[in-house]
Amino acid sequence: MSIAENIASVRLRMAAAAARAGRDASEITLMAVTKTHGFAQIVAAKEAGVTCFGENYVQEAEDKSESFAGARLHLIGHLQSNKAAKAAKLFASIDSLDSLRLAQKLERALEADSREMQAVIEVNIGGEAAKSGIAPVSNEFEELLRAAAEWKYLRVMGLMAVPPFLEDAEQVRPYFRLLRGVRDEIAARQLKNVKMDVLSMGMSHDFDAAIEEGSTMVRVGTAIFGSRATLVS
Ligand SMILES: *Cc1c(COP(=O)(O)O)cnc(C)c1O
């Protein structure tokens, strides 16, 4: 199957899941996740109508930056704060915002360029030690939400999570529901400079369930580009 055919079938799955939930499929963004994939694959996805891409590493995204011309590029992997300045120039959104320290570094870098940038807070929804993201109920999370009121350039748009990997998407569903609940609670508080429009959840094997639980952005790699070769660089 070609990349265009894979994208068409992903879109069909998205539409079917939206219909099951009584939702309008047009409110769900397809992000193509291109880590390890090259120029030809990225361009093929753009030609098939994909306008939003996700990369995990700053350096890899920079090396491939020409491929993303005309599209929105999001960072979805953990960002070390010493790379914040570079990331602030490269991405339309940092979807893996996971600390106040990082947010402050980004805000300062953006201020230097007088540029606004979007950010999505990554939540460690499964409480897994090996995963990045902020605990959903923690002082750290509260501090970050409160600090956002002061930012002039960094705009919080919502939440992202990578739940525990479970083969059966039905077993991931409770985590999607949990994240949706956290999002709804924060949205109801109407905090200054904190929007909760984006709920980024669902990957190749479980995005159907994520859409049924309210996802507004699915991050799809394997189902579009096939399996990833191990990164050797
Ligand atoms: C790699 C990655 C994806 C895509 O995963 P697939 O299973 O290949 O669709 C989505 N989100 C994040 C954060 C990733 O690192």
Side-chain angles (χ1 to χ4, degrees), residues 33 35 56 76 162 203-204 219-222 228:
V33 176
K35 59 173 172 268
N56 288 62
I76 58 171
V162 182
M203 301 169 34
S204 288
R219 307 180 309 268
V220 182
T222 311
R228 287 179 286 273

Side-chain angles (χ1 to χ4, degrees), residues 26-82:
S26 69
E27 60 188 53
I28 304 148
T29 302
L30 171 60
M31 173 195 286
V33 176
T34 45
K35 59 173 172 268
T36 78
H37 301 298
F39 186 81
Q41 285 117 312
I42 295 165
V43 169
K46 279 203 290 192
E47 282 171 355
V50 172
T51 57
C52 178
F53 290 86
E55 280 282 342
N56 288 62
Y57 302 101
V58 175
Q59 190 56 55
E60 186 181 348
E62 189 177 40
D63 292 345
K64 299 181 339 194
S65 63
E66 276 176 31
S67 339
F68 300 110
R72 276 177 64 81
L73 183 60
H74 294 228
L75 183 71
I76 58 171
H78 176 67
L79 177 59
Q80 290 167 308
S81 45
N82 64 355

Side-chain angles (χ1 to χ4, degrees), residues 82-144:
N82 64 355
K83 295 201 176 126
K86 197 182 251 191
K89 291 194 198 301
L90 209 51
F91 297 96
S93 180
I94 306 292
D95 294 4
S96 47
L97 183 65
D98 61 359
S99 76
L100 181 54
R101 188 177 133 79
L102 173 61
Q104 285 166 339
K105 284 234 173 180
L106 287 168
E107 174 70 10
R108 250 175 278 141
L110 293 163
E111 188 175 17
D113 291 347
S114 299
R115 193 174 94 78
E116 282 196 15
M117 187 171 71
Q118 300 192 342
V120 169
I121 299 172
E122 184 177 0
V123 174
N124 188 345
I125 202 71
E128 294 171 281
K131 283 217 175 115
S132 47
I134 300 189
V137 182
S138 62
N139 290 336
E140 218 190 333
F141 199 2
E142 282 305 312
E143 268 171 27
L144 184 69

